[in-house]
């Protein structure tokens, strides 16, 4: 992802876990469903994410289908 001004931070729920540490996340406020991967700190600290977890994720304003999970509640 590019610069901070090109990124939207959203809250959402993990709908489905895919192979390769990918997740399908549905945003709470906006009707957006995106395929997300884990950020570096979540991978480094081995944080596990399962279905129905509440997460914060970032998506680019140019491509709303791919994102990155940055926080798990």
């Amino acid at each position: 992802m590019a610069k901070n001004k090109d990124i939207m931070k959203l809250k959402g729920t993990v709908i489905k876990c895919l192979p390769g540490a990918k997740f399908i996340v549905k945003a709470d406020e906006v009707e957006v469903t995106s395929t997300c991967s884990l950020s570096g700190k979540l991978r480094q600290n081995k944080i596990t994410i399962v279905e129905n977890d509440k997460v914060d994720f970032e998506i680019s304003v140019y491509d709303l289908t791919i994102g990155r999970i940055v926080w798990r509640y």
Side-chain angles (χ1 to χ4, degrees):
M1 296 200 191
K3 300 177 183 177
N4 287 337
K5 64 182 179 181
D6 297 337
I7 294 175
M8 294 188 327
K9 292 189 178 187
L10 300 171
K11 294 182 188 241
T13 305
V14 176
I15 297 173
K16 188 173 181 182
C17 298
L18 301 174
K22 301 275 185 181
F23 304 93
I24 296 178
V25 179
K26 184 176 186 309
D28 293 338
E29 308 94 31
V30 188
E31 289 296 322
V32 174
T33 302
S34 63
T35 304
C36 296
S37 59
L38 294 176
S39 69
K41 286 294 183 181
L42 291 177
R43 271 184 207 267
Q44 183 179 3
N45 294 318
K46 299 179 182 170
I47 304 298
T48 58
I49 294 180
V50 295
E51 292 181 11
N52 297 324
D53 275 350
K54 299 288 185 185
V55 294
D56 282 347
F57 65 103
E58 298 176 342
I59 56 175
S60 172
V61 295
Y62 303 111
D63 186 10
L64 302 178
T65 60
I66 298 173
R68 174 177 55 197
I69 297 175
V70 294
W71 190 260
R72 184 192 75 140
Y73 292 103

